[in-house]
Structures are given as structure tokens and as C-alpha cells.
Amino acid sequence: MAEKIVLIASLLTALGVIITTAVKIYKFIRKWEKWVEEQTEHSLDNYLSIKRLTIMSHEIPLSERIAAGEKYIKYGGNGEVKHKYDELVELLPKENDK
């Protein structure tokens, strides 16, 4: 009888270790996923900021500013920078005529 109790206790202990390990692994994976999502969001924010600076910079050639504007809009940029991009698109034919 004592052997059966020891066997059951051993099985319950092993099951507890397995469940605890699975929970720790799950928490680690969730934390990693959140970190990756944050890094992706920051990366997109930085990308849009660089495109915004490119669009607004007068020292950069018009064609590059327009190309940056297309990418800026493609990735969700809008507002005043989008209006500036629209102005640049209107200026392009005038610059090509010169």
C-alpha cells in the first residue's frame, strides 16, 4: 500500500513539474511576442519619421522626395506630410518642363 502512495505522489510531482515548466515556457513566449510587436511598431515609426524628414527636406531632389512620399503613404502616413507630398507631385511636371 505504501508503494502505491509513493508512486501516486511521484506521478503528481512529475505532473506538477511538467505543468510548471509549460506555464513558464508559455509566459516566455508571450513576453517574446510582445517584445517583437513593440520592436516592429518602433521600427515602423522610425521608418515613417525618416520618410517624413525626406519629404520635407528642400535639399533632397524632388524625385527622391516623391518616392519617399509614396512609401510614406503606403505605410499609413497622412496629414500635413501627405498634403506636402501632393504638392510635390503637382510640382514634378513643372520641374520636368524646365
Side-chain angles (χ1 to χ4, degrees):
M1 182 72 172
E3 291 177 10
K4 288 183 180 182
I5 293 173
V6 170
L7 178 63
I8 291 172
S10 298
L11 289 174
L12 290 175
T13 302
L15 186 61
V17 169
I18 291 170
I19 290 172
T20 302
T21 304
V23 168
K24 286 184 178 184
I25 290 172
Y26 174 77
K27 286 181 179 180
F28 174 77
I29 291 171
R30 289 298 303 151
K31 185 186 267 187
W32 179 263
E33 286 176 343
K34 287 180 183 179
W35 183 82
V36 169
E37 288 172 4
E38 286 178 6
Q39 295 305 313
T40 303
E41 183 179 332
H42 291 294
S43 178
L44 180 61
D45 289 344
N46 288 336
Y47 182 76
L48 288 176
S49 294
I50 292 169
K51 295 303 171 192
R52 187 178 311 115
L53 290 171
T54 303
I55 294 165
M56 300 307 282
S57 177
H58 297 288
E59 291 83 25
I60 297 177
L62 185 59
S63 60
E64 289 183 34
R65 293 169 70 190
I66 290 174
E70 291 170 356
K71 291 177 184 174
Y72 181 81
I73 292 170
K74 178 181 176 183
Y75 288 103
N78 57 23
E80 291 295 321
V81 179
K82 184 177 179 188
H83 293 296
K84 182 66 174 179
Y85 165 74
D86 292 335
E87 289 176 19
L88 295 174
V89 170
E90 290 176 14
L91 287 176
L92 185 61
K94 295 175 185 175
E95 186 174 282
N96 286 339
D97 291 339
K98 290 182 181 181

